[in-house]
């Protein structure tokens, strides 16, 4: 049965209103509203004080307290006296406790409603600020790399080994699956078109050049952005939340050298071999379609691929892989180092790292493609 | 809550802070272990309704582990915990959930949900377990924050307030559903002496006003003597409890050197 609280109002004298409370004043039950008392007070302008009779009050909880705090606020506003003597001692004390520290009116952060132009202006400023931070981070990474070359960088070789393992060997299964399927898909799409001209054999050229020159590096880069870039951001972000990065700084160890450098180095070292491996898997995927569905001989497919794929293509692919590796590491580490101090900030940092890395990969692919075109390779 | 229970009768009655009368939590022959490693064994004590019960002991003795067992986060290796006569760990998960819903917990770091504002932190249990309308929830949130001296901070995120304020907001959240029992894990840890004292006063005031049973895990001497009405001492060297009772009384009467050393902060061994 729902708890029910009841209230009656009496006026024992011209300047006093008595609030008689009875029944169960419990949260979630049927409780009279404080507005009824306020209305009565408005109708009786001579009333200067409010008193309570709670002799018939059976039980109470927060339900009674919210009622009383509302009345208290109203009485303060109207300059009326609220006499709490008739209240249960516990409720009286809690009412005093709740009123002990006045509400900080200026504590709430102002909710800013920005006009479109202000919003646009803020976003533009933020964009340039982010670009500045990115350049600053890249600059610090370059300086740290120089110290590494000079053998002055502070980092643990054991950490580098573990990161190499995490970004290298442990990434092989997912890279295999993705690149094998991409090679397979490319071959299928090419086969449908080339079959119309009786030129199925050129499926080997299509898959070989596409995978070796571009697709293997891009797909591996995207896989590493999701798998490793996000993980870097989450690791460093959590360290930021736990003040571990502050501890490194105060110990005199550069977080850039100790945390970022090994990660960047590991990805830069591992991405070219991973791309090479991805090339093989992609070509295998294409070969399955070529040999299995298009009746091209295994040796014939191999020879056509070897003839089509030149060393320049391989070099461009591996160089792209190296660039993508550095981009993924920088994006992951930068977002991790910029992380806020809360759990949700870690999630935001991981998401932002993946997005930044993928955008970086696509933009750098465009730049590399234009450059190669310009150089005629 | 159960805040006052039954204020019936001819005159308004206080919420009946009854200490040393009715058992609220009974722990019988409890053994705490991590795998094969036994942390504490044979713990038997009673927490009475309205007690401010202190779980005390040196670092690493298992105070916080004991709390995790009492609030249902970790099962004991052996022994029983009774809530008002109900065998807590002998019951099914649903019953345990029902029992523990009557408790509120303030964790050492506040453990506020960082992606929610303070108002949302306190409102969440109310939205899940009550049928209150949003306007009523807002009023309750405002009241709970006012009780811990933080009125006006509704829209702040946990990362925007100090550690002491996070603890107080943690208490406000723990009190959201008017619990019968409040658990505090190291409430004074990391606070300056004045803030620690204020927190002690708040705990005392809430107990006096509401009659709530309080279980406080701490090794802060000032807090132990200021607020504790009952206690248990976990001796890390003997891997069991060696005393239970009012901390001031224990200090006056104990002959146990380890307990004396602990209660006098090593000054009178």
């Amino acid at each position: 049965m729902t708890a029910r609280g009841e209230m009656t109002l009496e006026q024992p004298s011209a300047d006093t209103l008595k609030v008689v409370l009875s029944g169960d004043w419990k949260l979630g039950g049927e409780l009279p509203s404080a507005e009824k008392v306020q209305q009565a007070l408005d109708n009786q302008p001579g009333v200067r004080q409010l008193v309570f009779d709670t002799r018939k009050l059976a039980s109470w909880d927060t339900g009674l307290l919210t009622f009383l705090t509302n009345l208290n606020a109203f009485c303060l506003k109207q300059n009326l006296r609220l006499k709490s003597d008739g209240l249960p001692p516990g409720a009286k004390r809690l009412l005093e406790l709740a009123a002990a520290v006045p509400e900080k009116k200026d504590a709430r952060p102002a909710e800013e409603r920005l006009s479109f132009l202000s919003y646009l202006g803020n976003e533009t400023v933020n964009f340039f600020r982010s670009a500045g931070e990115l350049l600053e981070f890249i600059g610090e990474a370059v300086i740290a790399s120089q110290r590494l070359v000079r053998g002055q960088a502070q980092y643990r070789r054991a950490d580098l080994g573990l990161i190499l393992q995490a970004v290298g060997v442990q990434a092989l299964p997912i890279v295999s699956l993705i690149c094998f399927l991409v090679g397979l898909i490319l071959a299928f799409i090419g086969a449908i078109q080339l079959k119309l001209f009786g030129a199925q054999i050129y499926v080997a050229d299509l898959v070989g050049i596409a995978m070796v020159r571009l697709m293997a590096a891009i797909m591996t880069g995207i896989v590493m952005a999701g798998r490793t870039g996000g993980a870097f951001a989450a690791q460093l972000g959590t360290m930021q939340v736990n003040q571990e990065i502050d501890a490194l700084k105060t110990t005199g160890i550069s977080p850039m050298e100790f945390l970022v450098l090994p990660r960047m180095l590991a990805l830069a070292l591992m991405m070219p071999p991973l791309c090479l491996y991805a090339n093989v898997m992609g070509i295998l995927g294409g070969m399955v379609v070529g040999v299995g569905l298009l009746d091209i001989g295994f040796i014939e497919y191999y020879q056509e691929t070897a003839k089509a794929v030149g060393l320049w293509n391989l070099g461009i692919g591996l160089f792209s892989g190296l660039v993508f590796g550095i981009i993924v590491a920088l994006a992951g580490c930068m977002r991790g180092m910029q992380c806020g101090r809360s759990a949700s900030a870690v999630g935001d940092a991981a998401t932002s790292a993946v997005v930044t890395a993928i955008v970086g990969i696509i933009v750098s692919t465009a730049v590399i493609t234009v450059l190669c075109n310009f150089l005629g390779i | 809550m159960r805040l006052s229970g039954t204020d019936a009768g001819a005159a308004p009655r206080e919420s009946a802070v009854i200490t040393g009368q009715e058992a609220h939590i009974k722990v019988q022959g409890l053994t705490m272990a991590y795998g094969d490693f036994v942390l504490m064994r044979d713990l038997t004590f009673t927490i009475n309704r309205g007690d401010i019960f202190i779980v005390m002991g040196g670092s690493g003795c298992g105070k916080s582990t004991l709390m995790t067992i009492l609030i249902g986060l970790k099962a004991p290796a052996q022994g029983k915990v009774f809530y008002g006569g109900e065998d807590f760990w002998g019951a099914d998960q649903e019953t345990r959930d029902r029992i523990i819903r009557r408790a509120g917990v303030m964790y050492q770091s506040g453990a506020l949900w960082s992606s929610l504002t303070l108002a949302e932190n306190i409102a969440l249990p109310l939205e899940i377990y009550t049928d209150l309308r949003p306007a009523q929830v807002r009023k309750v949130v405002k009241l709970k924050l006012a009780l811990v001296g933080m009125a006006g901070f509704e829209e702040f995120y946990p990362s925007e307030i100090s550690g002491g304020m996070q603890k107080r907001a943690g208490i406000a959240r723990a009190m959201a559903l008017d619990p019968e029992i409040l658990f505090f894990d190291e409430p004074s840890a990391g606070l300056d002496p004045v803030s620690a004292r204020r927190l002690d006063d708040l705990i005392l005031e809430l107990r006096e006003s509401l009659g709530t049973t309080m279980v406080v895990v701490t090794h802060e001497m000032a807090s132990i003597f200021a607020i504790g009405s009952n206690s248990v001492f976990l001796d890390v060297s003997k891997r069991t409890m060696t005393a239970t009772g009012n901390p001031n009384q224990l200090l006056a009467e104990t002959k146990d050197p380890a307990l004396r050393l602990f209660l006098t902060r090593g000054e009178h061994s």
Side-chain angles (χ1 to χ4, degrees):
Chain A
M1 192 179 143
T2 313
R4 191 184 170 91
E6 283 170 6
M7 175 181 73
T8 51
L9 300 174
E10 295 170 6
Q11 197 167 358
S13 63
D15 68 339
T16 306
L17 186 72
K18 186 194 271 187
V19 182
V20 183
L21 304 174
S22 57
D24 298 306
W25 278 72
K26 295 207 160 190
L27 208 58
E30 287 177 37
L31 301 177
S33 157
E35 272 119 46
K36 279 187 186 168
V37 185
Q38 292 168 9
Q39 277 170 8
L41 287 168
D42 287 339
N43 295 335
Q44 306 281 344
V47 172
R48 302 310 310 156
Q49 67 173 359
L50 209 59
V51 296
F52 293 91
D53 179 349
T54 55
R55 282 174 296 180
K56 289 180 182 166
L57 187 67
S59 61
W60 58 273
D61 68 3
T62 300
L64 175 67
L65 290 175
T66 49
F67 171 83
L68 293 174
T69 43
N70 282 348
L71 272 189
N72 198 24
F74 179 79
C75 288
L76 278 174
K77 209 165 140 191
Q78 301 294 322
N79 211 14
L80 300 174
R81 190 168 170 222
L82 185 143
K83 286 184 78 176
S84 56
D85 300 346
L87 293 171
K92 187 182 163 189
R93 269 202 297 267
L94 287 174
L95 201 61
E96 285 163 6
L97 188 64
V101 181
E103 180 175 350
K104 281 196 190 281
K105 297 289 180 195
D106 57 344
R108 193 190 311 268
E111 283 182 24
E112 288 183 45
R113 286 179 179 274
L114 294 175
S115 66
F116 176 71
L117 280 178
S118 305
Y119 174 79
L120 198 66
N122 276 349
E123 287 301 303
T124 310
V125 169
N126 285 341
F127 173 78
F128 282 109
R129 190 176 293 152
S130 307
E133 284 170 359
L134 176 67
L135 288 175
E136 192 182 328
F137 193 83
I138 292 172
E140 285 178 23
V142 170
I143 293 168
S145 306
Q146 284 174 348
R147 285 177 58 81
L148 175 75
V149 173
R150 288 196 214 118
Q152 295 169 333
Q154 297 168 307
Y155 70 96
R156 291 184 348 137
R157 283 173 204 278
D159 285 350
L160 177 63
L162 286 173
I163 300 167
L164 278 171
Q165 187 185 345
V167 304
V169 178
Q170 289 173 3
L172 287 178
I174 184 76
V175 169
S176 307
L177 178 72
I178 298 292
C179 290
F180 181 83
L181 290 177
V182 167
L184 199 110
I185 293 162
L186 277 176
F188 260 121
I189 294 169
I192 294 165
Q193 300 303 318
L194 293 169
K195 215 172 179 180
L196 296 173
F197 306 100
Q200 296 94 315
I201 186 63
Y202 291 109
V203 165
D205 298 51
L206 173 73
V207 173
I209 294 171
M211 288 307 295
V212 172
R213 189 178 172 110
L214 196 66
M215 289 308 289
I218 289 186
M219 294 318 295
T220 309
I222 289 173
V223 167
M224 296 311 278
R227 185 187 175 277
T228 307
F232 284 176
Q235 283 164 7
L236 301 193
T238 309
M239 290 181 78
Q240 190 72 269
V241 172
N242 294 337
Q243 295 186 302
E244 293 169 50
I245 290 177
D246 294 348
L248 279 175
K249 285 179 187 166
T250 49
T251 316
I253 298 170
S254 158
M256 186 57 76
E257 290 176 20
F258 195 79
L259 299 172
V260 178
L261 203 59
R263 285 166 172 79
M264 206 167 68
L265 191 62
L267 263 178
L269 287 173
M270 275 298 144
M271 272 299 277
L274 273 177
C275 285
L276 204 60
Y277 176 76
N279 290 340
V280 175
M281 294 312 294
I283 290 169
L284 270 178
M287 192 178 273
V288 167
V289 175
V291 175
L293 294 179
L294 303 175
D295 296 330
I296 304 170
F298 174 77
I299 301 293
E300 198 181 356
Y301 190 97
Y302 168 76
Q303 284 174 339
E304 188 63 29
T305 303
K307 195 173 75 182
V309 179
L311 270 180
W312 274 116
N313 288 329
L314 183 67
I316 291 165
L318 296 184
F319 174 73
S320 300
L322 174 74
V323 173
F324 297 164
I326 293 170
I327 287 172
V328 169
L330 279 177
C333 294
M334 186 178 75
R335 295 305 182 203
M337 299 286 275
Q338 291 172 339
C339 180
R341 300 275 185 185
S342 66
S344 59
V346 176
D348 292 343
T351 308
S352 180
V354 176
V355 173
T356 308
I358 290 175
V359 170
I361 287 170
I362 302 299
V363 170
S364 59
T365 305
V367 172
I368 291 169
T369 307
V370 171
L371 270 178
C372 290
N373 197 35
F374 182 71
L375 295 170
I377 51 177
Chain B
M1 211 168 37
R2 313 78 46 186
L3 283 182
S4 70
T6 52
D7 280 347
R13 277 200 294 146
E14 172 40 359
S15 52
V17 179
I18 308 161
T19 59
Q21 303 293 316
E22 184 193 344
H24 203 157
I25 303 174
K26 261 182 146 175
V27 174
Q28 277 182 356
L30 193 83
T31 296
M32 310 189 291
Y34 287 96
D36 294 334
F37 175 70
V38 175
L39 195 57
M40 282 279 149
R41 63 172 74 83
D42 301 330
L43 303 183
T44 300
F45 57 88
T46 302
I47 301 171
N48 291 314
R49 206 169 278 276
D51 263 353
I52 296 185
F53 190 92
I54 310 286
V55 180
M56 57 186 180
S59 298
C61 71
K63 300 186 294 291
S64 295
T65 306
L66 177 59
M67 195 181 97
T68 59
I69 291 174
L70 294 181
I71 61 177
L73 294 178
K74 177 179 164 55
Q78 265 179 31
K80 291 187 172 182
V81 176
F82 294 95
Y83 271 79
E86 257 185 300
D87 182 359
F88 182 65
W89 283 105
D92 56 24
Q93 184 65 47
E94 203 178 323
T95 310
R96 283 208 296 273
D97 288 346
R98 179 178 53 75
I99 293 172
I100 218 62
R101 209 173 295 153
R102 300 202 301 260
V105 184
M106 193 218 86
Y107 294 92
Q108 195 169 348
S109 59
L112 296 165
W113 298 301
S114 59
S115 58
L116 306 183
T117 61
L118 299 188
E120 288 166 338
N121 261 280
I122 299 166
L124 190 63
L126 291 163
E127 284 163 359
I128 292 174
Y129 294 116
T130 70
D131 298 324
L132 296 181
R133 292 190 301 276
Q136 289 175 303
V137 169
R138 277 197 296 278
K139 281 180 187 169
V140 175
V141 165
K142 202 174 158 81
L143 171 72
K144 301 292 175 183
L145 279 173
L147 284 175
V148 296
M150 288 182 66
F153 284 86
E154 283 86 346
E155 297 310 317
F156 276 68
Y157 283 91
S159 56
E160 295 170 332
I161 57 174
S162 70
M165 290 167 101
Q166 285 183 13
K167 288 195 180 224
R168 280 189 281 148
I171 296 176
R173 186 181 67 181
M175 294 194 310
L177 291 169
D178 291 344
E180 291 173 3
I181 311 165
L182 271 171
F183 289 92
F184 297 86
D185 189 7
E186 305 276 9
S188 317
L191 293 185
D192 65 82
V194 178
S195 303
R197 170 71 191 271
R198 280 194 192 134
L199 204 61
D200 287 347
D201 289 345
L202 178 65
I203 292 170
L204 274 174
E205 187 56 55
L206 292 173
R207 197 281 301 261
E208 292 303 319
S209 307
L210 307 175
T212 312
T213 306
M214 310 273 188
V215 180
V216 184
V217 170
T218 186
H219 51 204
E220 299 282 334
M221 281 305 128
S223 291
I224 290 172
F225 292 122
I227 64 174
S229 62
N230 199 354
S231 68
V232 62
F233 176 67
L234 307 183
D235 189 331
V236 71
S237 60
K238 292 180 181 154
R239 299 252 175 98
T240 188
M241 59 178 275
T242 53
T244 180
N246 182 290
N248 290 294
Q249 222 170 331
L250 288 178
L251 176 64
E253 295 170 4
T254 186
K255 302 237 177 341
D256 176 10
L259 179 57
R260 176 152 287 277
L261 196 70
F262 179 83
L263 291 175
T264 58
R265 306 177 73 186
E267 285 169 21
H268 303 286
S269 55

